Amino acid sequence: MAAPADDRETGPADGGRPAPILAQRGLFFGPSGKAPEDLYSVVEMGTARRRRHRIDLSPGSRVHTNTYFGRFHATYWQRWTPVTEVEVEAVVTGSGRVRLMASDTNKVWRVAAVADVEDVVEQKVRFVAPIDRFLDGGGMWLELTTEIDGMSVSDVRWSVVAVRPVPRTDLVICTYNRVDDCLNTLQSLADDPGALALVGTVEVVDQGSDPLESRERFLDVAAALGEHLRYVRQPNLGGAGGFTRGLFDATAGAPEEQSDILLMDDDVMLEPEIVVRLTSFAASTATPMIIGGQMLNLLHPGHLHVSAERADPEKLVNGLEIAGALREAYLLGLDERNLPINQERRVDAEYNGWWSCLIPAAIVREIGYPLPVFFQWDDVEYGYRARAHGFPTVTLPGAGVWHADFGWKDWDEWHRYFNLRNALIMAALHTDFSTKRVITRVGHLLSTYLIAMHYGLTATLLQAVEDFLDGPEILDDGSVAAAAEIRRIRAAYPETIVHPMSEMSDDFRDLQIVRAANEPGNLWLTFAKRAAYHVLGRAPHGTGTVAAGDAHWWHVSLFDRAVVTDMGETGVRIRQRDPERVKTLAKRGLVAMRRLRSEGPAVAQRYRDDMGRLTSRANWARLYGVDE
């Protein structure tokens, strides 16, 4: 069992024992009021004033930190590091009780250690707890209680003994015309000196036509970051080109001169604590591994997107949850046993998104740089490539940032081209490339897109397949030409344009919302019926409005003209039946699938053969136009 530690100050070593490093800070409030405070600490009884690093409890109160940011996720430390114990320290004033709590795989709690204080002034309370009995799941947290007197707790620190010194870590932000978002992210980091001190260089790779440096505010943010900031302007090579530039710069020179790299999106609401948690975990693993942060939904900040992800490239999908993972979980709620919703059981990811992800320099040296695919699947491919070389990815709970909700982004956008094309490239590189599975998936998408009057999206899919079949040479310019071409192609399809509802000239009686029925029991039979409607020109509905949540192919295909709410709910898209376009696109699709069957295996081998060149430092230096 854990026991209170003595009051010795932590020195660089104790009898030859390496010095502890800060694993995470105990925070009671978010970086701003936009972050729900109950993600940090929960007032179960009485009243308390919660601040960032301090909480003041009134008499007769109880507070716990069994929350997303408040827990120490011991199960991940036991599985992925040789660390055997954690030290918890807090500064306490007043009278009350401080408990160190622990849980097991099934959320059953236990008291690991306890300290009672009475009329103390800024007294340090310290516990040392073994990191054992957590292999399948469980964590630790603090419980604070008062009775007739009040108590204040501040400066909570969770420390571990790392297996090696914390390596220098550079933070890289790739940005494209999101000036205010990016400056907000940089300002959040500058406002947290403790987190900023753990970062070497903060490199901003600006690929936009509206540069950060054009704003007066940039001067203030740059001054706050001081010598940490490196600002790089370059042509737009997508997220892959922007993030790789940070990897490229951080891994220049001899190995001892290189830095680990923490990649960060520009449009997040930053929790600077993620720097503390990812860097300390990376320093504690026995061998290098990718350490990923999680994504919380910016529009719905109490929700976790997914706690661990996998992909199925041959089905052209990523973002699939690992079995047992939380998905779109409401972290402020309670489960069926009235217990907090946390990722209690450990789930092991297969890759991590680059909204926040730490990549050790040693891995870059071993496996090379990302593919020049512009964006989409670059992070997935890199994670699976690392995995193939024996480097796992850990998605660490409690290390998260808020990012724009994926569920409020419409798929019918130009970037869908890269999602589809790059999935095929991923399948070529990391699967046996089953043409049967790939063609089945392409055929399913083609048929459902056509029947739902998604003609521009159909053209996007076919262009992705055809460009993939052209071979790895399509990546020689970093996919810049492809990004421009797919926008040009999609411009010919009216339903790809979002219109404000106020611009609709229809009689309101023709724009009544038609809700979808339950999902059909037999999708194949339903598809045959919908296809017959198209062939015979006898759709049950002429014009109607379809809500975003009802825009399934089997519902939209009931209309001659469907006014469909965009997933972002900012406007509508008008899908109009066009039999001639259906014929043209269907014929083109059959040709593409025949080519996939006959040419696919050989093309996949060409991508494998060219992998070393595409991901080399020399290739990226050429794309950046820099001398090596």
Side-chain angles (χ1 to χ4, degrees), residues 345-365:
R345 286 182 177 267
R346 194 192 77 250
V347 287
D348 298 332
E350 296 186 1
Y351 75 93
N352 199 94
W354 284 354
W355 47 75
S356 57
C357 190
L358 190 150
I359 302 176
I363 294 181
V364 180
R365 291 195 297 271

Side-chain angles (χ1 to χ4, degrees), residues 150-201:
M151 180 175 67
S152 297
V153 178
S154 64
D155 301 318
V156 177
R157 296 170 60 89
W158 299 73
S159 302
V160 298
V161 176
V163 298
R164 58 183 177 275
V166 179
R168 172 190 163 104
T169 301
D170 290 348
L171 191 149
V172 176
I173 298 174
C174 169
T175 188
Y176 178 82
N177 290 351
R178 286 189 172 127
V179 177
D180 291 334
D181 288 340
C182 188
L183 290 175
N184 289 341
T185 299
L186 293 170
Q187 187 65 60
S188 295
L189 183 62
D191 289 343
D192 192 325
L196 183 59
L198 299 174
V199 175
T201 296

Side-chain angles (χ1 to χ4, degrees), residues 71 75-76 104-106 136-138 307 324-325 342-347 397:
R71 286 167 62 92
T75 180
Y76 289 81
D104 64 17
T105 309
N106 298 310
D136 288 338
S307 52
N342 284 305
Q343 184 67 62
E344 201 74 63
R345 286 182 177 267
R346 194 192 77 250
V347 287

Side-chain angles (χ1 to χ4, degrees), residues 350-602:
E350 296 186 1
Y351 75 93
N352 199 94
W354 284 354
W355 47 75
S356 57
C357 190
L358 190 150
I359 302 176
I363 294 181
V364 180
R365 291 195 297 271
E366 178 71 20
I367 74 172
Y369 296 90
L371 282 168
V373 292
F374 202 78
F375 74 155
Q376 303 281 328
W377 286 84
D378 47 339
D379 46 7
V380 184
E381 189 283 322
Y382 202 79
Y384 276 94
R385 195 189 332 157
R387 186 179 181 86
H389 283 76
F391 300 112
T393 292
V394 176
T395 298
L396 188 64
V401 295
W402 287 271
H403 185 281
D405 305 31
F406 287 163
W408 285 64
K409 293 183 176 182
D410 204 290
W411 269 121
D412 194 2
E413 296 287 353
W414 66 275
H415 55 70
R416 181 69 166 144
Y417 162 85
F418 288 101
N419 186 273
L420 294 163
R421 188 203 68 179
N422 296 347
L424 290 166
I425 295 173
M426 171 76 182
L429 294 172
H430 296 286
T431 74
D432 294 333
F433 202 78
S434 166
T435 53
K436 180 180 180 180
R437 289 194 80 213
V438 173
I439 292 169
T440 298
R441 179 60 174 170
V442 170
H444 170 75
L445 293 176
L446 176 66
S447 57
T448 55
Y449 288 170
L450 284 175
I451 207 166
M453 300 175 284
H454 257 319
Y455 305 131
L457 192 54
T458 304
T460 303
L461 165 67
L462 296 178
Q463 191 67 36
V465 173
E466 292 162 357
D467 285 358
F468 163 76
L469 290 170
D470 284 346
E473 292 77 18
I474 62 169
L475 305 180
D476 282 350
D477 69 341
S479 295
V480 173
E485 178 64 8
I486 196 59
R487 287 187 177 97
R488 186 194 65 78
I489 290 170
R490 287 174 55 83
Y493 296 89
E495 83 281 356
T496 63
I497 300 170
V498 179
H499 305 272
M501 195 66 185
S502 59
E503 293 182 358
M504 298 299 295
S505 59
D506 300 65
D507 188 310
F508 74 92
R509 288 167 293 189
D510 294 329
L511 294 177
Q512 298 303 300
I513 295 176
V514 181
R515 299 304 305 269
N518 293 330
E519 183 174 344
N522 188 321
L523 292 176
W524 286 108
L525 179 59
T526 300
F527 180 84
K529 290 179 179 178
R530 302 297 190 267
Y533 291 151
H534 277 249
V535 171
L536 299 175
R538 296 178 181 176
H541 304 290
T543 295
T545 299
V546 177
D550 286 339
H552 315 289
W553 65 262
W554 41 265
H555 181 56
V556 177
S557 54
L558 294 172
F559 298 81
D560 277 324
R561 179 173 176 266
V563 179
V564 183
T565 303
D566 183 74
M567 285 300 295
E569 297 197 21
T570 59
V572 295
R573 299 171 189 255
I574 303 170
R575 302 194 211 172
Q576 178 75 53
R577 184 170 300 178
D578 188 335
E580 289 305 313
R581 273 201 159 146
V582 171
K583 292 177 185 177
T584 300
L585 290 168
K587 290 178 181 178
R588 183 180 167 193
L590 290 174
V591 172
M593 287 191 288
R594 283 198 294 268
R595 286 189 63 197
L596 269 174
R597 180 177 287 109
S598 61
E599 302 173 30

Side-chain angles (χ1 to χ4, degrees), residues 99-174:
R99 286 191 179 102
L100 177 62
M101 307 293 291
S103 63
D104 64 17
T105 309
N106 298 310
K107 293 190 177 182
V108 180
W109 61 264
R110 61 186 185 271
V111 179
V114 61
D116 291 315
V117 296
E118 186 171 353
D119 295 330
V120 299
V121 178
E122 295 188 352
Q123 177 177 306
K124 286 186 178 180
V125 171
R126 193 178 289 170
F127 304 116
V128 175
I131 301 177
D132 61 0
R133 303 181 185 274
F134 297 104
L135 193 55
D136 288 338
M140 302 183 201
W141 66 92
L142 293 180
E143 182 184 87
L144 315 173
T145 57
T146 60
E147 293 183 344
I148 60 174
D149 296 311
M151 180 175 67
S152 297
V153 178
S154 64
D155 301 318
V156 177
R157 296 170 60 89
W158 299 73
S159 302
V160 298
V161 176
V163 298
R164 58 183 177 275
V166 179
R168 172 190 163 104
T169 301
D170 290 348
L171 191 149
V172 176
I173 298 174
C174 169

Side-chain angles (χ1 to χ4, degrees), residues 205-383:
V205 182
D206 192 340
Q207 302 183 128
S209 57
D210 183 14
L212 265 67
E213 61 183 353
S214 67
R215 302 293 204 280
E216 290 185 13
R217 186 182 168 202
F218 176 74
L219 299 177
D220 295 332
V221 173
L225 291 172
E227 295 182 354
H228 289 280
L229 181 65
R230 177 192 295 149
Y231 180 67
V232 177
R233 291 282 307 279
Q234 68 179 32
N236 186 21
L237 291 168
F243 282 130
T244 301
R245 180 59 184 266
L247 292 167
F248 183 92
D249 291 341
T251 54
E256 63 273 12
E257 299 172 331
Q258 298 176 7
S259 302
D260 289 356
I261 308 96
L262 174 53
L263 306 177
M264 187 75 65
D265 268 349
D266 58 349
D267 58 344
V268 300
M269 183 169 75
L270 178 64
E271 170 49 85
E273 175 67 12
I274 197 171
V275 176
V276 178
R277 300 186 184 188
L278 295 188
T279 56
S280 62
F281 199 92
S284 302
T285 60
T287 57
M289 58 185 69
I290 295 173
I291 314 299
Q294 294 181 333
M295 174 185 149
L296 300 160
N297 291 338
L298 184 60
L299 193 59
H300 304 90
H303 288 76
L304 174 70
H305 170 53
V306 62
S307 52
E309 294 184 277
R310 63 180 180 87
D312 189 341
E314 290 177 332
K315 293 191 73 172
L316 312 184
V317 292
N318 57 28
L320 301 170
E321 70 268 25
I322 298 290
L326 297 177
R327 185 176 191 89
E328 299 303 330
Y330 181 55
L331 300 174
L332 304 179
L334 300 173
D335 66 11
E336 66 281 357
R337 291 186 292 164
N338 209 36
L339 295 172
I341 294 176
N342 284 305
Q343 184 67 62
E344 201 74 63
R345 286 182 177 267
R346 194 192 77 250
V347 287
D348 298 332
E350 296 186 1
Y351 75 93
N352 199 94
W354 284 354
W355 47 75
S356 57
C357 190
L358 190 150
I359 302 176
I363 294 181
V364 180
R365 291 195 297 271
E366 178 71 20
I367 74 172
Y369 296 90
L371 282 168
V373 292
F374 202 78
F375 74 155
Q376 303 281 328
W377 286 84
D378 47 339
D379 46 7
V380 184
E381 189 283 322
Y382 202 79

